[in-house]
C-alpha cells in the first residue's frame, strides 16, 4: 500500500507539470476557436427555408413563373435557396438530363464548399489526437520499463514518471478529440441535410422541366 501511495504521489506531481498542462491548454484553446468559428458560420449563414418553401417553388416553376421563383429564393438566407436560385438561372426547359445533372453538381459544390471549409481540419484532429495520445502512452510505458531495467522495481518513483506521462498523454488526446467528434458530427449532419434538400428540390424542378 505504501508503494502504491508513493506511485500516486509521484504521478500527481508530474501531471501538475505547468509546462505540460499549458501545452494541452493551448491546443484546446485553438481547437475551441475552430469549433466556435464553424458553429457561428453555420448559424449566421444557414437559416431554415421553412416547411412550405419546396411546395411554393415547385408550384411557381410548374406554372412557368420562374422569375417569381427566383425572387422567392432571394428572400431566404439559406444555402438551399441560393442553390435553387442559381439552378433556375442556369437551367431551362428542354435541356438534356446530363446537362441538368452537371449544373446541379456544380452548384451544390459551389454552395456547400464554404460550409465544408475547416471541417476537414476537425476531421484531422479527430484522427490524430487519439494517435498522439497512444504514442505518448507507448513512450511513457517504454520509459517506465526502461527505468525498471536500469534501477529495478523496488522504488515506485522509478516508474512513476513514465506511467504519469502515459496517463497524461492519453487523457490529453481524449480531451481534445471528444468535443471535436461531437461538433464535427453535428455540423456534418447539417451539411448533409442541406445537400439532400438541394438535391430533392432541384430534382423535382428537373422533372417539371422535362414534362
Amino acid at each position: 500500500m505504501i508503494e502504491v501511495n508513493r506511485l500516486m504521489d509521484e504521478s500527481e506531481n508530474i501531471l501538475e507539470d505547468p509546462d505540460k498542462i499549458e501545452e494541452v491548454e493551448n491546443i484546446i484553446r485553438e481547437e475551441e476557436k475552430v469549433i466556435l468559428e464553424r458553429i457561428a458560420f453555420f448559424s449566421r449563414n444557414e437559416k431554415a427555408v421553412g416547411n412550405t418553401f419546396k411546395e411554393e417553388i415547385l408550384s411557381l416553376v410548374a406554372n412557368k413563373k420562374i422569375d417569381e421563383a427566383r425572387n422567392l429564393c432571394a428572400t431566404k438566407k439559406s444555402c438551399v435557396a441560393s442553390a435553387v436560385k442559381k439552378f433556375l438561372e442556369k437551367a431551362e426547359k428542354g435541356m438534356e438530363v446530363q446537362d441538368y445533372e452537371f449544373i446541379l453538381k456544380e452548384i451544390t459544390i459551389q454552395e456547400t464548399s464554404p460550409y465544408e471549409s475547416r471541417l476537414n481540419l476537425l476531421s484531422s484532429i479527430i484522427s490524430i489526437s487519439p494517435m498522439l495520445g497512444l504514442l505518448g502512452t507507448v513512450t511513457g510505458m517504454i520509459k517506465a520499463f526502461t527505468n525498471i531495467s536500469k534501477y529495478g522495481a523496488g522504488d515506485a518513483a522509478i516508474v512513476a514518471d513514465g506511467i504519469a506521462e502515459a496517463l497524461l498523454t492519453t487523457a490529453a488526446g481524449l480531451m481534445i478529440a471528444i468535443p471535436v467528434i461531437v461538433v464535427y458530427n453535428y455540423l456534418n449532419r447539417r451539411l448533409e441535410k442541406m445537400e439532400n434538400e438541394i438535391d430533392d428540390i432541384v430534382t423535382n424542378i428537373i422533372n417539371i422541366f422535362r414534362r
Side-chain angles (χ1 to χ4, degrees):
M1 177 64 73
I2 295 175
E3 291 299 315
V4 172
N5 290 336
R6 289 182 60 191
L7 176 59
M8 292 177 64
D9 291 340
E10 292 290 338
S11 299
E12 288 175 359
N13 290 336
I14 295 170
L15 290 172
E16 291 173 359
D17 185 335
D19 293 333
K20 292 182 179 180
I21 293 174
E22 183 179 359
E23 183 179 348
V24 174
E25 288 177 344
N26 288 336
I27 295 173
I28 293 175
R29 277 195 291 269
E30 291 302 316
E31 168 192 301
E32 288 175 347
K33 289 179 183 178
V34 176
I35 290 174
L36 293 175
E37 186 275 332
R38 284 292 85 194
I39 293 175
F41 181 85
F42 271 73
S43 301
R44 185 172 61 250
N45 294 282
E46 179 57 26
K47 307 295 182 183
V49 293
N51 297 328
T52 62
F53 176 76
K54 175 183 174 181
E55 289 73 17
E56 290 174 356
I57 286 293
L58 296 181
S59 176
L60 290 171
V61 172
N63 289 290
K64 300 180 180 180
K65 298 179 180 180
I66 304 301
D67 289 338
E68 292 184 28
R70 292 173 187 158
N71 291 336
L72 175 60
C73 291
T75 64
K76 305 290 184 179
K77 189 176 178 64
S78 165
C79 168
V80 175
S82 177
V84 173
K85 181 175 182 291
K86 288 182 179 180
F87 181 82
L88 292 173
E89 291 171 346
K90 292 186 176 184
E92 57 186 34
K93 190 176 180 67
M95 297 176 68
E96 296 293 330
V97 174
Q98 59 266 28
D99 295 329
Y100 288 131
E101 292 177 348
F102 177 80
I103 294 172
L104 171 58
K105 182 177 181 181
E106 180 183 41
I107 289 172
T108 301
I109 292 173
Q110 289 176 354
E111 289 297 318
T112 59
S113 290
Y115 296 88
E116 292 178 341
S117 174
R118 304 189 81 178
L119 284 187
N120 288 337
L121 175 59
L122 295 182
S123 179
S124 297
I125 293 174
I126 291 170
S127 300
I128 294 172
S129 295
M131 294 299 100
L132 292 176
L134 179 60
L135 177 62
T137 301
V138 172
T139 58
M141 295 309 295
I142 290 173
K143 181 184 294 185
F145 283 109
T146 299
N147 288 340
I148 290 175
S149 67
K150 287 181 179 180
Y151 308 109
D155 190 349
I158 292 174
V159 297
D161 187 22
I163 293 175
E165 179 180 314
L167 294 174
L168 177 62
T169 53
T170 301
L174 293 174
M175 287 171 61
I176 293 169
I178 290 173
V180 177
I181 291 173
V182 174
V183 174
Y184 175 81
N185 288 337
Y186 167 71
L187 295 179
N188 204 45
R189 283 196 299 270
R190 287 189 62 173
L191 180 60
E192 288 178 356
K193 182 181 178 182
M194 290 156 50
E195 292 173 341
N196 291 336
E197 287 181 354
I198 292 171
D199 186 71
D200 180 36
I201 295 173
V202 171
T203 299
N204 279 276
I205 292 174
I206 292 172
N207 291 334
I208 294 172
F209 280 170
R210 297 185 64 222
R211 289 175 185 171

